[in-house]
Amino acid sequence: MLVIKFGGTSVASAKNIALVKDIIQEKDTPLIVVVSALGGITNKLVECSTLASNGDEEYLKLFSQIDQKHLETIKELISVKNQGKTLSKIKIILNELEDICRGVFLIHELSAKTKDKVLSFGERLSATIISDYFADQGIKTELASPETFIKTDSNHGRANVDFSDTRKEIAAYFRGSTGLWICPGFIASDKNGETTTLGRGGSDYTAAILAASLKSEKLEVWTDVSGMMTADPRWVRAAYAIEHISYEEAMELSHFGAKVIYPPTIQPVLEANIPIYIKNTFQKEDKGTVISSRIHENGPLIKGLSCVHNVALFNFAGSGMVGIPNFSHRLFRALSSAKVSVILITQASSEHSICIAIDAGNSEVAGKSIEQEFEYELSTHKINPLEIEKDLSIIALVGSKMKEQVGVSGRMFSVLGQNGVNIKAIAQGSSEKNISVVVNANETKKALNSLHESFFLSEQKTLNLFMIGVGNVGGTLIDQLNQQKAYLSEHHRVNLRVVALANSKKAYFEPTGIDLDRWKDDLDSEGTKMSTDEFVKTMAELNMRNSIFVDNTAHEEIANVYEQVLGESISVVTPNKIACTQNIERYRSLKQTARRYGAKFLFETNVGAGLPVINTLNDLIKSGDEVLKIEAVLSGSLNFIFNNFNDNVKFVDIVKQAQVEGYTEPDPRIDLSGVDVMRKILILIRESGHEMELHNIKSEQFIPEVCMDAPSIDDFFTELAGQEEVFRKMLEKARTENKQIKYVATFNQGKAETGVKFISPDHPFYNLEGKDNIVLFTTKRYEDQPLVIKGAGAGAAVTAMGIFGDIMRIAHE
């Protein structure tokens, strides 16, 4: 005999019940269909009875809603000619429920036994309506009475089944049956015939008991999801259905919050070796999940990720606990007497402390019971005052095969650490089927998504980009990200998702990802007033996994928030040179903060735009090499200007051209002053392991002060045109000596300087063309012939490419 169970969402409305009928008609008989209460009714019954016990007449409104829900369902489902009979049956049941609630209201008391009676009405009502609906549709059915054959003790609210008597009663009740039965779930009775219930979600248990007792070939559980999921899809959008899972794995996931099935459900069918099929009422063609005793050898290492919310952590510690054998016993006795269930336990090997996790709703009663039990030890300071932390969640990684694999725990902790998730407590059972951690509630979503991505979508990694600066470089970067999106997903399994954009006026956040085809319109129409502090605050509050802050500006205000951002375990990628060229203490602090919080601070584009200058230098230092000397042309804009300055063009016109083509800053004086080059050489000096400040670098000005002191950019160009003779003399000197004009930065024997140099033909700088940069590293390994890095060192495209490269370096971590 096949047993099928439909949950509350599957029978939540007339439309859904019609879907249930379609599924049943495809099955062969004999068949038992176990049904839950109509969706939401059990919660209303709880609330209604509670209000009544408090003497609150509002319970009548709730009762009226329960009444109307069932009467409306009948009218939608059953033909007019047959409605009368069903309405009469339901009215009798509802009148009985109303009388009980009236009695509770009058005496202001709701015992556990009475509450069981009240809650049983949900399933009684739904089963009666569904049975009559099937009959109205020409499907012959019989309505089963589970109080007759499921026998329990008198532990009202969560009764324990007497399997010996229950099996006998079920065998007798269904002996010789060949038809279709509709059976209310959740309900049972004790030896005195009083109604009991099997606990919330107990309809699954009813179905499992029937399947095991009748030796069914399988048990089908139909719900609103397509099987047990790798994670809760409400928290992890990328979650997907698990095709096959073992009984033990399913029980672990159920215990830790995966509520597709009720935890005790599995035990009866496990003992009978009956597979459970989890199916979707609303997508019946989906495969769903099969729960059985079989473990697939080639299956995934981890089967599921589950979570328990609203957890409190009790830390019980003190030197008086060491070596005393009965402390743990007394602690759990205190919790047991308070009827508090322990979700997680961990104890230090020193015996100095015990940590337990419980439902936060039980914190007060648990705390009082423990303090009462240990009143003497607390008063004599043998143990410390009880520490209680709330607003926590437990996250569990479940899989039978993890015991065969080294490094699962390390990978879990590494992923959480990289995303700045602080672990409060850790527990792992001796079976090694489960690793559980306690984390702050506000980090739950990030932790779940990070772990899910690592263990279930290891070939696909999502990075969330928060970008400030969408001008020349920023806009080009967005275009490159959009262009490469499909390629990166297919060939590198990386999803780069821009979730925030900002310019100087507006900021726009979209956690699901900004449409890069229309980002300008969205920023303009949906963006709010830009504030750096608010941007960082919102970014931290979103608390998204694999977050990267991309600063495409040259503003000091933005650079000053890097340390705060890194402290949130958010990586920073930037072409902004200000942060790395502030005082040496600030530079060191940024590096230390990044290491401490597991974030990355990458700034390859600070020197040479997209050229691999800093990464190459880092590799030299990491491998034990030592930098002896640095010679470099580090300004693509100045190199462009000097390479294009000749007898046929004025110096001022070349500077204007460089400005228009984006090689200089909007104010060209920033480039012409040499400060930008000083910053770049300082970064290389610091990255090579030497300490230096910006003011220690000697810089020779080649632009007359009258130009640099001009009150505006227009005035600057006017003054520059008037100084043409100065630049003509430089050009003539270079021609006479057969040399090229270059703006060079050097570091040698602890000293650094920048300035115009006249380069002879035998030097590597002589043939440097266009806007190219070149860096020569003389090191202990490259002493006779320096290591040369050469290429385009300015321009939006190559700078954006360099930023893109840093982002991808983080993606491949």
Side-chain angles (χ1 to χ4, degrees):
M1 181 178 285
L2 178 62
V3 178
I4 302 178
K5 180 260 176 177
F6 289 92
T9 52
S10 297
V11 295
S13 66
K15 182 181 177 181
N16 293 0
I17 294 170
L19 294 176
V20 169
K21 182 208 71 171
D22 293 341
I23 293 168
I24 295 303
Q25 285 184 306
E26 295 174 2
K27 306 292 182 181
D28 294 326
T29 54
L31 174 65
I32 301 175
V33 177
V34 178
V35 295
S36 297
L38 301 186
I41 290 299
T42 301
N43 288 335
K44 287 187 184 298
L45 287 168
V46 170
E47 191 177 353
C48 181
S49 57
T50 302
L51 288 171
S53 68
N54 293 331
D56 189 338
E57 290 188 349
E58 286 293 312
Y59 88 90
L60 292 170
K61 289 184 181 179
L62 272 175
F63 179 82
S64 178
Q65 292 173 18
I66 294 167
D67 183 296
Q68 285 300 116
K69 171 76 172 177
H70 290 90
L71 297 182
E72 287 171 4
T73 302
I74 292 169
K75 290 174 183 177
E76 287 183 56
L77 279 176
I78 300 174
S79 62
V80 175
K81 68 176 182 178
N82 291 325
Q83 280 182 14
K85 184 171 66 173
T86 305
L87 287 169
S88 296
K89 290 181 186 178
I90 295 302
K91 270 297 182 183
I92 291 170
I93 299 172
L94 287 169
N95 287 340
E96 184 183 352
L97 172 61
E98 186 177 20
D99 289 342
I100 294 172
C101 289
R102 179 66 177 168
V104 170
F105 174 77
L106 291 173
I107 65 173
H108 291 197
E109 184 181 329
L110 179 64
S111 67
K113 183 168 80 170
T114 303
K115 189 173 183 179
D116 266 359
K117 187 72 175 176
V118 170
L119 297 186
S120 71
F121 280 88
E123 275 69 16
R124 287 175 59 193
L125 288 161
S126 67
T128 302
I129 292 171
I130 292 168
S131 179
D132 279 13
Y133 166 60
F134 281 16
D136 182 63
Q137 295 294 308
I139 304 170
K140 187 178 180 182
T141 62
E142 293 188 67
L143 183 61
S145 176
E147 296 102 322
T148 306
F149 51 78
I150 297 182
K151 298 300 176 181
T152 70
D153 62 13
S154 299
N155 183 28
H156 291 282
R158 193 169 181 174
N160 300 298
V161 176
D162 182 334
F163 281 98
S164 178
D165 284 352
T166 296
R167 289 190 190 100
K168 292 175 186 176
E169 295 292 344
I170 288 174
Y173 195 93
F174 293 100
R175 185 175 292 122
S177 175
T178 58
L180 169 62
W181 290 85
I182 305 297
C183 178
F186 182 55
I187 310 169
S189 67
D190 63 15
K191 62 182 179 180
N192 299 316
E194 297 288 349
T195 298
T196 57
T197 61
L198 302 177
R200 292 298 295 270
S203 292
D204 288 338
Y205 201 17
T206 301
I209 293 165
L210 286 166
S213 300
L214 295 168
K215 297 181 173 55
S216 298
E217 63 180 51
K218 64 180 177 179
L219 166 62
E220 292 184 7
V221 176
W222 291 76
T223 180
D224 58 353
V225 292
S226 298
M228 295 193 77
M229 309 292 281
T230 50
D232 187 336
R234 293 170 298 180
W235 289 79
V236 181
R237 295 178 66 194
Y240 58 89
I242 306 166
E243 287 192 18
H244 187 276
I245 191 169
S246 71
Y247 291 125
E248 291 83 0
E249 289 167 331
M251 288 180 77
E252 291 280 1
L253 284 173
S254 297
H255 175 70
F256 283 98
K259 299 304 183 186
V260 175
I261 56 173
Y262 180 55
T265 299
I266 297 172
Q267 195 61 41
V269 291
L270 185 154
E271 293 173 355
N273 200 23
I274 295 169
I276 304 173
Y277 287 72
I278 311 296
K279 301 281 284 180
N280 190 337
T281 305
F282 310 101
Q283 295 177 341
K284 64 180 182 179
E285 303 305 324
D286 288 358
K287 285 184 178 180
T289 299
V290 180
I291 305 172
S292 71
S293 58
R294 229 179 72 189
I295 298 176
H296 287 264
E297 292 301 320
N298 297 323
L301 182 68
I302 303 300
K303 283 295 180 70
L305 186 63
S306 202
C307 183
V308 181
H309 303 282
N310 195 33
V311 168
L313 199 64
F314 280 47
N315 293 301
F316 194 63
S319 57
M321 296 171 59
V322 180
I324 307 300
N326 69 337
F327 262 82
S328 297
H329 164 72
R330 291 174 60 197
L331 173 62
F332 295 121
R333 183 176 66 190
L335 292 168
S336 177
S337 66
K339 298 189 181 328
V340 174
S341 177
V342 177
I343 306 171
L344 175 146
I345 308 164
T346 182
Q347 181 174 17
S349 59
S350 65
E351 300 182 52
H352 180 266
S353 64
I354 300 174
C355 179
I356 60 167
I358 65 170
D359 186 305
N362 295 324
S363 296
E364 187 175 350
V365 65
K368 286 180 180 178
S369 184
I370 292 170
E371 288 172 353
Q372 184 177 349
E373 175 68 35
F374 293 97
E375 183 179 2
Y376 170 73
E377 288 83 358
L378 286 165
S379 65
T380 56
H381 306 293
K382 289 187 175 183
I383 59 173
N384 302 331
L386 189 63
E387 293 180 9
I388 304 174
E389 289 187 73
K390 296 184 181 180
D391 297 322
L392 302 172
S393 298
I394 298 175
I395 294 174
L397 207 60
V398 175
S400 294
K401 293 178 67 180
M402 70 169 69
K403 64 182 177 182
E404 303 167 9
Q405 180 68 45
V406 174
V408 177
S409 299
R411 182 174 170 187
M412 182 184 192
F413 302 147
S414 176
V415 168
L416 294 175
Q418 287 169 5
N419 281 279
V421 177
N422 186 33
I423 299 173
K424 299 284 187 177
I426 304 164
Q428 180 174 21
S430 58
S431 67
E432 295 186 59
K433 291 184 175 68
N434 166 350
I435 305 172
S436 302
V437 295
V438 181
V439 302
N440 287 317
N442 62 357
E443 294 178 334
T444 303
K445 186 172 184 178
K446 180 165 68 170
L448 285 169
N449 280 275
S450 301
L451 291 170
H452 190 271
E453 182 176 82
S454 178
F455 284 97
F456 299 101
L457 303 173
S458 55
E459 295 185 357
Q460 181 79 40
K461 184 175 185 178
T462 297
L463 278 74
N464 295 296
L465 309 183
F466 297 81
M467 192 182 301
I468 295 182
V470 292
N472 198 13
V473 172
T476 304
L477 175 59
I478 293 170
D479 290 342
Q480 291 180 1
L481 291 170
N482 198 22
Q483 177 186 324
Q484 292 300 106
K485 186 174 183 179
Y487 173 83
L488 291 176
S489 179
E490 181 180 352
H491 296 282
H492 292 269
R493 311 306 295 164
V494 170
N495 175 28
L496 299 180
R497 182 169 63 187
V498 179
V499 295
L501 290 172
N503 55 27
S504 59
K505 296 179 180 178
K506 289 188 174 183
Y508 173 50
F509 287 84
E510 178 45 70
T512 60
I514 293 170
D515 183 349
L516 298 187
D517 288 322
R518 48 167 297 139
W519 67 268
K520 289 181 181 178
D521 292 336
D522 288 342
L523 177 59
D524 184 56
S525 60
E526 303 291 332
T528 56
K529 186 179 178 181
M530 172 56 181
S531 159
T532 303
D533 290 340
E534 284 300 314
F535 189 96
V536 173
K537 180 182 176 183
T538 303
M539 180 168 59
E541 288 174 348
L542 285 173
N543 207 18
M544 301 180 78
R545 72 192 188 283
N546 302 328
S547 292
I548 302 176
F549 177 63
V550 183
D551 172 21
N552 298 316
T553 76
H555 299 315
E556 186 171 4
E557 179 190 358
I558 310 299
N560 286 339
V561 302
Y562 291 176
E563 191 154 7
Q564 180 184 350
V565 172
L566 293 167
E568 297 288 347
S569 296
I570 297 172
S571 295
V572 173
V573 170
T574 183
N576 188 338
K577 292 175 280 291
I578 292 175
C580 286
T581 55
Q582 292 175 324
N583 63 67
I584 192 72
E585 288 76 17
R586 172 79 169 159
Y587 168 80
R588 282 202 211 99
S589 181
L590 287 169
K591 295 268 191 169
Q592 290 167 357
T593 302
R595 285 193 294 270
R596 179 180 178 186
Y597 291 97
K600 299 295 177 185
F601 177 37
L602 301 182
F603 43 89
E604 178 63 75
T605 48
N606 275 199
V607 180
L611 294 176
V613 178
I614 292 175
N615 277 310
T616 301
L617 176 57
N618 290 159
D619 289 342
L620 290 172
I621 301 303
K622 288 175 193 173
S623 65
D625 204 352
E626 183 181 340
V627 174
L628 304 175
K629 182 180 180 181
I630 303 172
E631 299 172 90
V633 174
L634 296 173
S635 174
S637 53
L638 287 175
N639 201 43
F640 174 86
I641 290 167
F642 286 128
N643 281 336
N644 288 279
F645 180 41
N646 56 52
D647 291 335
N648 300 318
V649 64
K650 292 182 177 180
F651 189 80
V652 65
D653 293 330
I654 290 297
V655 174
K656 286 181 178 179
Q657 182 184 346
Q659 181 199 41
V660 170
E661 294 187 19
Y663 298 141
T664 72
E665 296 293 334
D667 186 346
R669 286 174 291 185
I670 296 173
D671 299 87
L672 296 172
S673 69
V675 172
D676 190 60
V677 175
M678 291 171 65
R679 291 185 186 280
K680 291 176 180 178
I681 191 67
L682 177 62
I683 291 168
L684 294 183
I685 292 167
R686 288 177 172 179
E687 288 294 296
S688 65
H690 298 275
E691 293 190 1
M692 187 171 284
E693 299 288 2
L694 192 64
H695 62 78
N696 297 137
I697 300 172
K698 181 182 177 183
S699 178
E700 296 179 6
Q701 283 272 12
F702 74 96
I703 301 291
E705 284 189 22
V706 65
C707 302
M708 301 302 290
D709 293 339
S712 68
I713 296 174
D714 289 339
D715 291 331
F716 161 73
F717 280 125
T718 301
E719 293 291 347
L720 195 64
Q723 298 293 327
E724 183 68 19
E725 185 61 29
V726 173
F727 307 113
R728 287 291 158 194
K729 288 180 180 179
M730 292 172 59
L731 187 63
E732 183 61 30
K733 175 179 170 62
R735 184 185 295 112
T736 302
E737 297 178 4
N738 190 29
K739 293 180 178 181
Q740 294 280 4
I741 307 172
K742 303 294 176 187
Y743 196 87
V744 178
T746 60
F747 171 70
N748 191 16
Q749 297 183 341
K751 295 181 179 179
E753 62 178 32
T754 65
V756 170
K757 302 290 182 185
F758 294 87
I759 306 299
S760 59
D762 60 345
H763 196 283
F765 293 174
Y766 185 83
N767 292 313
L768 194 65
E769 298 178 349
K771 58 184 182 297
D772 285 1
N773 280 192
I774 186 169
V775 180
L776 277 59
F777 289 119
T778 302
T779 72
K780 282 192 172 181
R781 292 178 187 153
Y782 291 89
E783 192 165 7
D784 296 330
Q785 188 72 27
L787 175 63
V788 180
I789 302 169
K790 178 182 177 182
V798 290
T799 304
M801 179 200 72
I803 299 167
F804 203 149
D806 274 347
I807 292 169
M808 289 304 297
R809 269 180 274 281
I810 295 173
H812 291 308
E813 279 288 330

